[in-house]
Amino acid sequence: MNTATSQQAVVELDGKDLPAHCPNPLMPTWSSHPRVFLNLDGSGSAKCPYCGTQYRLKPGAVVTGH
């Protein structure tokens, strides 16, 4: 049996990048999907339900509420 794993880069976010959403501005237009806002979990990470891109907060990122 042959298993393939895709090695996708993790998108690191700073506090100023919040609220997090996908697709992000660096993604090519051809791979776009509807914009979805991501809720970062307790560990500071989230995965896009459309494309599977993984997002996480940078170490030491300052998150402020509004």
Side-chain angles (χ1 to χ4, degrees):
M1 180 185 335
N2 188 4
T3 59
T5 53
S6 68
Q7 293 291 331
Q8 257 186 331
V10 175
V11 178
E12 289 197 321
L13 303 171
D14 202 355
K16 66 179 171 39
D17 300 323
L18 300 177
H21 61 85
C22 191
N24 65 59
L26 300 177
M27 292 181 160
T29 303
W30 64 265
S31 67
S32 288
H33 54 68
R35 179 178 281 191
V36 59
F37 287 90
L38 305 167
N39 187 16
L40 300 175
D41 63 16
S43 65
S45 65
K47 186 175 183 179
C48 175
Y50 285 103
C51 66
T53 300
Q54 187 73 33
Y55 292 84
R56 73 171 169 223
L57 287 174
K58 290 180 183 176
V62 177
V63 179
T64 58
H66 43 309

